[in-house]
Amino acid sequence: MKNNYYLILLLLTAFTVTAQNKGGITGQVLDETGTPVIGANVVIQSISIGAVTDENGTYKLDDLSYNTYTITVSYLGYKSIKKSVEIATPQTTLNFNLKEPSFQLDGLVVTAQKREQLNKDVPIAITSYGSDFINNQGTFEYDTFSDYVPGLQIQIQSVNNPGIVVRGITSDSGDSRVEPRVSVFQDGVSISKSRGSVVELFDIERVEVLKGPQGTLFGRGAQIGAMHIIQNKAKNETSASLKTGIGNYNQFLVNGYVNTPLVKDKLFARVAAIYNRRDGYIENLSGGDLNGKETLALRGSLKYMISDNTTFDFIANWQQDTPPGTSFKSGTFAPLGGDLSPNSFADLERGKELGLDRTVYGLTGILKSALNDNWDITSTTAYRKFNSDEAFDADGTAAPVLFFREVAEGEQFSQEVRFNFDNDDKLSGFFGANFFYENGSQAVPFEVNEQSYLALLVATDALVINGVPTLFPNIPNDPGSFGPLAGAPLLPFNKEESINYGENYSGDIFADASYDVTEKLTLTLGLRATLENSNAGLEVINADNPGLLGNFLGAFPNNLFTPTNGRISASETFTSAVGRFAVNYDLSDAVTVFGNVARGRRPNVINVSATEVNVLSDETVWSYELGLKSLMLDNKLQFDINGYYYDYSNFQTTIARLDETDGLVILPNDSGSATALGFEAAMQYQFAKSSSFFANYGYIDASFDDEDSDGNPQQLAGNTFRLTPEHSFSAGFNINPTLSEKVAVFLRPTYTYKSKVFFEETNLPNISQDGYGLLNIRTGITIQDRYEISLYATNVLDEEFIIDAGNTGGAFGIPTFIAGPPAFYGLQLSVKF
């Protein structure tokens, strides 16, 4: 019994000693004037414990073992403070004074090479903008964002049909069998397929645009560049914001997020959403309006601190787009009482039936673990799916002749495991493996009034007269021209459909390493090897009733699509390798020069038509680039300049044509060789705490060579790449004078310019847009750095321009034109919690 007593006493004593070896820290964070700083982050990074100061600037950290810790205090606009403190008593008091307000450029840190680095230290031409810049410009769409990135052009006919152009090379095909040239990534996951690639830029941490072949870093689709969207994820803080706004064309916006811890220091959650709608700015006489917007997007994320060295992020994205139709207005036939201007009202068949219904959603899990001081591992697992149904009038008139739908579907699964290493001496980099699966289809139903279709085929000039469609109830009774079909009646409605299918499996192994030869010279080598199995198919669903006019186009029993008599399928397996070699040299602490050589590749295309199956060679490009990057004035001034040369082989284009024997043919073709020579410059200057200036310029001479690789003359010899202005630039200010301690005003004007662009590789002069510039202005007031009232206007001078021309109507000799947006203006209110 006595022994048991001593044992119990010993255990109680041990427990008491253990309990007494726990302590806490409390204190206050003040600014230079002694005012409490609300919302400052107080963190002990070594044990992932932190707190946020309350309305009195007070913080508290509990349950700390007796030890010595380094505490970091940070708050936006002030220099961070680090202090060491020894915990040896139950309660320790430690106050902080944030002094010398500091400011630096936004978006300086990038993760292009799969680790955090200053943009200046990465031997790649990168443009990176952080959340401050994106929010200040009110940018939610890709095309607006691209105006501020040299070498990047993005054209959006609708969110279902974007054209993403990096240094002259366009990625826009909706064919499920064709891989993109430009990779779009979202938190390390490819979202590159054209019909599912456009997402709203809301609650964004950073967007990085990498120019040049990026196959080593971003996979087989990054033939000429990549755009990486890094979203804000759940954090160990309590915060929220809300923005709402109204504008002309019945524009309405609401956007916000909420972030909160769920389990102290272990589990955090973040929910963000946006709803953005606007009526179309082109009136449609047949009903409704055109070129509008309606998008609802939601995002939820969780972060779980599994241990001090391991975290797990889960992100769920969902977006639905239901805008009205796109104004493919005819440049040949004016609407009743109207004119041929793409910017005035149109008369497109089916009225309110035109439009898009698209849903995109995805789930992503990111597991990160530090294995030791030199190694860490990242596992990224993702599933994504999209489906869209877009109705459009391809002839751009009231004639019931070329009414199409595009019904696209796609799903993908990907798994990547990557090991990063950094020995804090000379060697750093990563290696890993990736599996990617995708399955998709693109169906194109064609609905036609054969009575109008005949007018298009035999009397094009009479398709529409004074805004009224011409209808032929019968084939002309002319046996000499129409044989036994002369006089046959034509159907007022007929429908047929063409469907392409694509299914792909790919596996990659990759490695990328940087070695510091000296303190100033770094060499980088990257390689990626790919094994892929591609499966392509085509099936034509024949017309409800035999289409008589198909007899004259080789498409009978259809009017347009040559029958396949079931699905035609083909499968091939390909192997490939891409890579890069780069050199980085520090001229000084502020200036770095770099050079790189890289090989990019676009996967082979299995070309399936109703009459043949063939495989196009993989499209390849060799890139050579030299540049200079600088970061000076205590991270307030950034200046980049680079020049590049590209050499393309087996360059593929998609050309639509109406064939007398095969009907409508829309297939990728090999146009041979092409070259590009370009120059880019960009600068940002943060000249005050909340005031900055930016400017950038891009020049490119990108054209098809006179001869192909076999020495044969090329059909497109000397022609300029489509959607590629020779000159482009943008510039803007963000000026924020202070009226009082609590009130400041801001003025944010920007100007963008693009020189002449051609919309097709044929370079037809009437299928182009001359150079133009756009002025945008945003102004308002902020109160206590918490409330904001802003007025905005885009295209202030109401410049008239077009964003596309030619299109499907061009294949029938009646090109259509899409108007660019007019002046938009509105009021927005926002608050931070």
Side-chain angles (χ1 to χ4, degrees):
M1 182 68 182
K2 188 175 182 179
N3 290 336
N4 289 339
Y5 170 79
Y6 284 127
L7 178 61
I8 294 171
L9 183 61
L10 179 63
L11 291 174
L12 289 174
T13 302
F15 177 79
T16 303
V17 171
T18 301
Q20 290 177 345
N21 285 339
K22 293 283 187 177
I25 307 174
T26 187
Q28 195 175 27
V29 179
L30 307 173
D31 65 12
E32 288 182 292
T33 65
T35 302
V37 178
I38 304 172
N41 291 304
V42 184
V43 179
I44 302 176
Q45 294 178 340
S46 61
I47 57 174
S48 300
I49 290 179
V52 177
T53 55
D54 61 18
E55 65 274 8
N56 297 314
T58 301
Y59 73 93
K60 187 177 183 181
L61 300 173
D62 291 322
D63 198 28
L64 300 176
S65 299
Y66 284 1
N67 206 337
T68 299
Y69 299 96
T70 298
I71 299 180
T72 301
V73 178
S74 61
Y75 185 69
L76 184 64
Y78 289 80
K79 287 184 177 179
S80 298
I81 295 178
K82 289 186 178 182
K83 287 185 179 181
S84 292
V85 58
E86 181 182 359
I87 305 299
T89 61
Q91 192 65 48
T92 301
T93 301
L94 185 64
N95 297 322
F96 293 86
N97 289 94
L98 294 180
K99 299 180 179 180
E100 300 179 12
S102 65
F103 51 90
Q104 65 178 19
L105 289 168
D106 187 33
L108 292 179
V109 177
V110 298
T111 54
Q113 296 190 133
K114 311 303 180 183
R115 58 189 184 274
E116 289 191 352
Q117 295 175 280
L118 287 174
N119 190 340
K120 180 183 75 69
D121 298 327
V122 181
I124 304 170
I126 303 175
T127 298
S128 175
Y129 287 120
S131 59
D132 287 348
F133 182 91
I134 294 171
N135 292 334
N136 287 343
Q137 303 306 323
T139 300
F140 298 112
E141 293 89 11
Y142 284 6
D143 51 351
T144 304
F145 174 80
S146 70
D147 288 339
Y148 308 120
V149 181
L152 177 68
Q153 308 289 332
I154 298 182
Q155 170 217 65
I156 296 183
Q157 294 182 358
S158 73
V159 293
N160 196 51
N161 195 4
I164 302 176
V165 188
V166 174
R167 290 178 169 175
I169 300 300
T170 304
S171 186
D172 63 352
S173 176
D175 193 314
S176 65
R177 302 163 295 184
V178 178
E179 292 302 311
R181 294 185 178 103
V182 178
S183 285
V184 181
F185 272 67
Q186 189 178 53
D187 289 325
V189 177
S190 174
I191 61 171
S192 304
K193 276 297 188 181
S194 175
R195 297 317 186 240
S197 64
V198 175
V199 295
E200 290 289 280
L201 299 178
F202 72 105
D203 197 30
I204 296 297
E205 177 184 327
R206 185 174 68 257
V207 178
E208 301 173 7
V209 179
L210 292 74
K211 277 86 70 147
Q214 302 301 333
T216 302
L217 301 175
F218 287 95
R220 64 194 182 110
Q223 181 206 18
I224 199 62
M227 181 166 71
H228 192 193
I229 302 164
I230 298 101
Q231 304 171 122
N232 279 322
K233 301 171 186 64
K235 304 174 183 178
N236 188 12
E237 66 179 34
T238 300
S239 60
S241 75
L242 177 66
K243 174 182 287 187
T244 186
I246 57 174
N248 61 336
Y249 295 99
N250 290 319
Q251 197 261 348
F252 175 71
L253 167 72
V254 60
N255 174 32
Y257 80 89
V258 176
N259 191 104
T260 184
L262 297 179
V263 178
K264 183 180 179 182
D265 299 329
K266 277 292 185 182
L267 181 63
F268 326 123
R270 189 182 188 96
V271 177
I274 186 171
Y275 177 72
N276 194 1
R277 73 164 303 277
R278 183 186 61 243
D279 290 345
Y281 49 84
I282 300 294
E283 179 189 358
N284 188 18
L285 294 184
S286 292
D289 51 54
L290 305 165
N291 293 6
K293 178 181 178 68
E294 184 169 29
T295 295
L296 172 63
L298 307 172
R299 182 185 312 128
S301 65
L302 295 170
K303 179 184 287 290
Y304 179 48
M305 305 293 294
I306 299 174
S307 70
D308 291 348
N309 299 321
T310 305
T311 63
F312 178 71
D313 284 286
F314 176 77
I315 309 113
N317 282 285
W318 180 88
Q319 179 169 322
Q320 184 175 52
D321 300 279
T322 53
T326 300
S327 178
F328 294 99
K329 184 177 178 180
S330 175
T332 308
F333 304 102
L336 181 64
D339 55 39
L340 295 178
S341 170
N343 305 92
S344 61
F345 67 83
D347 190 3
L348 274 58
E349 180 205 4
R350 306 284 185 99
K352 292 184 179 180
E353 188 176 341
L354 302 174
L356 168 67
D357 187 351
R358 185 190 78 142
T359 302
V360 181
Y361 68 86
L363 305 173
T364 303
I366 305 173
L367 179 69
K368 295 183 177 181
S369 181
L371 303 178
N372 53 45
D373 290 341
N374 298 328
W375 288 88
D376 64 69
I377 182 174
T378 301
S379 172
T380 303
T381 308
Y383 175 80
R384 198 165 188 271
K385 188 171 184 177
F386 69 86
N387 57 73
S388 65
D389 185 347
E390 183 168 22
F392 60 97
D393 183 355
D395 59 273
T397 73
V401 61
L402 295 180
F403 181 83
F404 289 91
R405 303 188 84 92
E406 182 188 1
V407 183
E409 297 181 354
E411 65 175 341
Q412 69 181 58
F413 172 81
S414 62
Q415 173 64 59
E416 179 174 289
V417 177
R418 186 180 72 248
F419 293 88
N420 280 63
F421 59 94
D422 189 340
N423 64 3
D424 293 324
D425 184 14
K426 292 180 176 295
L427 189 63
S428 61
F430 61 87
F431 69 89
N434 174 276
F435 171 77
F436 186 83
Y437 167 78
E438 62 182 355
N439 187 17
S441 65
Q442 180 195 41
V444 185
F446 169 55
E447 300 176 11
V448 64
N449 182 328
E450 295 179 357
Q451 300 169 355
S452 180
Y453 194 37
L454 180 63
L456 175 64
L457 296 178
V458 303
T460 303
D461 293 343
L463 176 65
V464 174
I465 299 176
N466 296 325
V468 179
T470 300
L471 302 177
F472 291 98
N474 305 87
I475 294 177
N477 193 13
D478 180 4
S481 299
F482 298 99
L485 294 177
L490 296 172
L491 297 173
F493 179 84
N494 214 347
K495 180 181 178 180
E496 59 196 75
E497 184 173 359
S498 177
I499 312 171
N500 61 68
Y501 302 89
E503 184 177 28
N504 297 289
Y505 302 82
S506 70
D508 297 345
I509 56 174
F510 53 84
D512 194 278
S514 298
Y515 182 74
D516 297 332
V517 179
T518 68
E519 291 185 357
K520 295 180 175 294
L521 178 63
T522 302
L523 304 181
T524 300
L525 177 66
L527 296 170
R528 179 181 292 259
T530 302
L531 173 66
E532 55 196 331
N533 175 249
S534 298
N535 304 272
L538 177 69
E539 183 176 9
V540 172
I541 308 300
N542 290 341
D544 298 336
N545 298 289
L548 296 182
L549 298 178
N551 284 280
F552 306 107
L553 296 174
F556 184 82
N558 301 321
N559 284 303
L560 189 60
F561 301 124
T562 303
T564 59
N565 301 314
R567 185 185 298 191
I568 302 173
S569 300
S571 178
E572 295 283 345
T573 299
F574 308 102
T575 58
S576 64
V578 295
R580 66 173 182 139
F581 175 72
V583 179
N584 219 44
Y585 185 78
D586 295 331
L587 294 178
S588 67
D589 291 340
V591 180
T592 300
V593 294
F594 71 92
N596 63 62
V597 178
R599 182 182 188 269
R601 172 185 176 268
R602 188 193 202 189
N604 304 70
V605 173
I606 302 177
N607 204 351
V608 180
S609 72
T611 57
E612 64 177 358
V613 175
N614 66 301
V615 178
L616 296 181
S617 300
D618 55 341
E619 180 179 305
T620 60
V621 56
W622 279 97
S623 163
Y624 309 89
E625 183 172 22
L626 293 172
L628 178 148
K629 298 183 180 184
S630 66
L631 183 59
M632 53 189 68
L633 300 182
D634 196 20
N635 295 344
K636 298 179 180 65
L637 175 63
Q638 177 178 283
F639 177 76
D640 300 342
I641 185 171
N642 64 77
Y644 57 88
Y645 174 80
Y646 294 158
D647 186 5
Y648 301 90
S649 299
N650 305 316
F651 190 83
Q652 301 163 8
T653 59
T654 299
I655 299 175
R657 71 178 190 277
L658 189 63
D659 193 274
E660 293 183 358
T661 58
D662 293 333
L664 180 65
V665 178
I666 306 178
L667 288 172
N669 292 272
D670 185 347
S671 293
S673 301
T675 54
L677 179 68
F679 165 84
E680 295 164 355
M683 67 91 65
Q684 296 183 71
Y685 179 40
Q686 190 85 21
F687 55 85
K689 179 180 178 182
S690 301
S691 299
S692 60
F693 169 76
F694 78 92
N696 60 64
Y697 168 77
Y699 165 82
I700 184 169
D701 178 10
S703 60
F704 293 94
D705 297 339
D706 293 337
E707 298 178 343
D708 62 21
S709 56
D710 297 323
N712 300 315
Q714 294 196 123
Q715 181 181 1
L716 300 174
N719 285 11
T720 298
F721 291 171
R722 62 188 294 262
L723 300 178
T724 303
E726 184 176 8
H727 303 277
S728 61
F729 73 83
S730 64
F733 284 96
N734 177 22
I735 304 173
N736 290 260
T738 300
L739 300 183
S740 68
E741 291 184 0
K742 296 183 178 181
V743 180
V745 299
F746 61 84
L747 177 65
R748 299 167 186 157
T750 63
Y751 183 80
T752 63
Y753 173 83
K754 300 176 183 179
S755 62
K756 183 174 183 175
V757 297
F758 292 101
F759 295 110
E760 294 181 351
E761 279 87 359
T762 52
N763 283 191
L764 298 175
N766 61 321
I767 311 297
S768 65
Q769 167 64 54
D770 289 334
Y772 66 95
L774 300 178
L775 175 65
N776 304 325
I777 297 177
R778 182 174 291 266
T779 187
I781 64 172
T782 58
I783 302 172
Q784 296 179 330
D785 287 328
R786 182 177 178 185
Y787 305 97
E788 181 178 291
I789 304 172
S790 63
L791 298 170
Y792 73 90
T794 60
N795 190 8
V796 174
L797 303 179
D798 205 21
E799 179 82 16
E800 291 190 352
F801 61 99
I802 60 174
I803 62 171
D804 202 10
N807 306 300
T808 304
F812 293 85
I814 50 171
T816 57
F817 300 80
I818 303 175
F824 292 148
Y825 52 84
L827 169 70
Q828 294 180 352
L829 307 174
S830 63
V831 58
K832 298 177 183 177
F833 301 95

